[in-house]
Amino acid sequence: MIGKFGIPSFNDPRMKTATVLALFFVGLFLIQGVFLPYWPVWLKSQGLSAGEIGILLSLPNWVRVFADPLIAQRADRTGNRKTPMLWLAGIYVITILAFPVSSDFWWLAGLSVVIGFTFSPLLPLGTTITVHECKTHELDYGRVRLWGSLAFIGASFGAGLVLDGTSTAWIVWMLFAAGIINFAIVTRMPDPQTDRPLRSGSSLIYLLRKPVFLIYLGCIGFAQGSHGTYYSFASVHWESIGYRHDVIGAFWSIGVIAEIALFAFGGKYVRGLHPGILFAIGAASGVLRWTVLGLTDNFWLIILVQPLHAMTFGITHLAAVSFIARAVPSQLATSAQSLMATLSMGVFLGSSIWASGPLYEHFGSHAYFAMTGLSVIAFFFALWLIRRWRGEDNTFCD
């Protein structure tokens, strides 16, 4: 079983499954740990403007609007998630090597589209497998997921150390190495086969016709969208005011350390809470976090608010997964995960990242105030979800 600190013990065979699931998140977040903090820095080194960087960073999020549902609905119909994951992870590895070929904006835009199509669907597909296996083997999802956060810390901080001694050209090679590791891990993923769909029509349309599910999408969408300026220009801004790459990596790591603590020790405290309450906590934390980052570049104040990532992202993620696990039948789980990822990380976050380009270009760090506004909207959606959904299991099984 998994011990007190989430470390697997191989005495129980089921922990082999837990280890593979944990490694899936490790592989995925090794990539994210380099991409999120430092990909904007690499794009800036290619001579691109803030507006062009915003467009390129938003493209993968927009592509997933089409890619995630297409792949997810196919996976739900066949019950097979692993095979598409292998293809997607392999194509990603090849694509990342093509970025240094040219610094032309349209070349980079085309490759960004491919990255969006190949990398983005991996998370909803893998999360569906993970949730299924956690239910089957009675594993704690949060303690499986935290290993991805640990990988993010190692990647972001380690990449910062590498870059301080080398050049930004190494960003691409670190992403390539992380992609190889990710592909190798995907080959070891479980391949559970689920039942045929509950309905003959589109599972996506079916879910989108449910008012409670739409409110849920509003909660997670505006909450994730509020991270747009942070994901796209935090590192660029901190670099521009003189912070070293290792310090920037430390800033990112502090937030993820807090997220890990939540996943490791907070699961038993939040598991029984209404997802709407968790969404509200995350949104209120976003109001505080983005307001402070918009007001000051002070080292200690940045250190003070970065742990709120455990709330703005971590508790929001737990709320999103909890709602799907409780309200959506397993036969529709991949479609629900995909819609959640598509709209929150695609439409909402993609729009926010795109808008952050001109906002940062004109207002600098004050662009965070727009993110504060999105957190306020997310808070009111959370209150709406609390009123409309009473916590019924398999709400959409009709």
Side-chain angles (χ1 to χ4, degrees):
M1 58 185 297
I2 291 182
K4 183 177 181 181
F5 297 102
I7 301 174
S9 167
F10 290 96
N11 294 331
D12 187 342
R14 72 190 181 95
M15 285 305 100
K16 294 181 180 178
T17 299
T19 302
V20 172
L21 296 176
L23 286 174
F24 163 72
F25 288 109
V26 168
L28 210 61
F29 284 91
L30 281 176
I31 295 172
Q32 290 284 63
V34 178
F35 187 90
L36 283 178
Y38 299 113
W39 194 241
V41 175
W42 186 83
L43 292 175
K44 182 183 177 184
S45 74
Q46 304 304 299
L48 301 172
S49 68
E52 290 173 325
I53 292 172
I55 292 171
L56 291 178
L57 292 174
S58 67
L59 274 175
N61 299 82
W62 280 109
V63 170
R64 74 184 306 165
V65 173
F66 307 99
D68 283 15
L70 178 68
I71 295 170
Q73 186 157 262
R74 175 65 179 171
D76 272 345
R77 288 190 179 279
T78 63
N80 182 1
R81 279 97 185 180
K82 182 175 178 178
T83 299
M85 290 177 68
L86 287 169
W87 279 99
L88 296 171
I91 295 171
Y92 164 85
V93 172
I94 297 170
T95 304
I96 202 69
L97 284 179
F99 275 93
V101 171
S102 172
S103 59
D104 177 73
F105 173 81
W106 293 107
W107 172 259
L108 298 177
L111 294 177
S112 297
V113 169
V114 178
I115 290 294
F117 194 90
T118 57
F119 183 76
S120 297
L122 288 174
L123 184 58
L125 289 169
T127 299
T128 300
I129 292 175
T130 301
V131 172
H132 179 277
E133 294 297 288
C134 284
K135 279 185 175 181
T136 301
H137 298 285
E138 298 182 347
L139 302 172
D140 187 321
Y141 171 83
R143 294 193 175 188
V144 170
R145 171 61 175 76
L146 69 83
W147 291 93
S149 301
L150 282 169
F152 185 98
I153 289 176
S156 60
F157 189 71
L161 293 176
V162 170
L163 293 175
D164 276 332
T166 55
S167 71
T168 55
W170 277 84
I171 294 172
V172 170
W173 293 109
M174 287 188 285
L175 286 170
F176 173 71
I180 291 290
I181 294 171
N182 180 60
F183 178 81
I185 293 169
V186 169
T187 65
R188 308 302 301 170
M189 281 287 282
D191 191 16
Q193 301 295 308
T194 59
D195 296 334
R196 305 296 294 176
L198 291 175
R199 308 177 65 84
S200 58
S202 168
S203 55
L204 300 176
I205 298 299
Y206 171 67
L207 289 168
L208 288 173
R209 286 176 175 170
K210 300 295 182 179
V212 170
F213 193 79
L214 294 178
I215 297 171
Y216 159 76
L217 291 176
C219 291
I220 185 64
F222 283 105
Q224 289 289 5
S226 75
H227 292 76
T229 298
Y230 177 66
Y231 286 161
S232 53
F233 289 102
S235 294
V236 170
H237 178 69
W238 288 331
E239 182 188 49
S240 71
I241 60 176
Y243 286 116
R244 300 191 312 271
H245 288 124
D246 60 338
V247 174
I248 293 172
F251 285 158
W252 283 82
S253 298
I254 289 169
V256 183
I257 288 171
E259 174 190 316
I260 290 170
L262 173 70
F263 288 152
F265 306 111
K268 63 181 178 181
Y269 299 109
V270 304
R271 192 176 298 119
L273 293 178
H274 191 293
I277 295 175
L278 302 181
F279 279 128
I281 294 171
S285 300
V287 172
L288 176 59
R289 185 185 186 191
W290 310 132
T291 300
V292 170
L293 290 180
L295 288 173
T296 181
D297 297 319
N298 179 270
F299 175 85
W300 293 110
L301 286 176
I302 294 174
I303 293 291
L304 185 64
V305 300
Q306 278 300 84
L308 288 176
H309 190 72
M311 301 293 108
T312 62
F313 175 80
I315 207 165
T316 298
H317 177 74
L318 291 179
V321 171
S322 173
F323 179 85
I324 290 177
R326 293 171 60 182
V328 180
S330 62
Q331 294 92 330
L332 299 175
T334 304
S335 293
Q337 290 279 358
S338 172
L339 276 174
M340 181 267 286
T342 295
L343 294 177
S344 63
M345 304 299 288
V347 175
F348 285 87
L349 184 58
S351 299
S352 178
I353 290 174
W354 173 80
S356 292
L359 284 173
Y360 181 77
E361 202 162 29
H362 288 90
F363 303 107
S365 61
H366 293 333
Y368 279 112
F369 295 148
M371 306 300 107
T372 299
L374 295 180
S375 292
V376 171
I377 298 173
F379 181 80
F380 284 107
F381 265 95
L383 297 182
W384 194 5
L385 183 65
I386 292 170
R387 291 192 62 182
R388 286 295 305 271
W389 187 61
R390 303 299 182 185
E392 305 93 339
D393 287 345
N394 289 331
T395 304
F396 308 131
C397 191
D398 58 14

